[in-house]
Amino acid sequence: MAKKIESPCVSVCQLKGDLCIGCGRTVEEIRQWKAMKRPEKMKTVKRAEERLKKLPRD
């Protein structure tokens, strides 16, 4: 059986618009996380990582 995909949540839940600046997921992705299948979760984690790279660091 495939390894479980852990949530990218880092317990720094701060929204900037529709995006959590802690984990890089959108509000909708956070809301849907538990219902997502493994491939969806993998794509979501990848997108979240890319978003975090683009966020300006204060």
Side-chain angles (χ1 to χ4, degrees):
M1 186 171 177
K3 186 178 173 192
K4 180 181 171 186
I5 303 292
E6 294 295 324
S7 169
C9 180
V10 294
S11 298
V12 180
C13 305
Q14 292 184 330
L15 294 176
K16 192 170 193 175
D18 190 39
L19 187 68
C20 175
I21 62 170
C23 69
R25 294 180 293 168
T26 65
V27 172
E28 191 60 29
E29 288 168 341
I30 294 167
R31 203 175 282 139
Q32 295 295 322
W33 183 260
K34 287 187 177 186
M36 288 181 184
K37 302 250 187 262
R38 189 173 196 279
E40 275 182 285
K41 287 183 178 183
M42 290 172 60
K43 288 177 187 174
T44 298
V45 168
K46 184 72 173 166
R47 283 192 306 260
E49 289 171 353
E50 292 302 314
R51 288 184 196 119
L52 285 176
K53 287 179 188 175
K54 294 177 184 176
L55 279 180
R57 295 291 170 194
D58 299 319

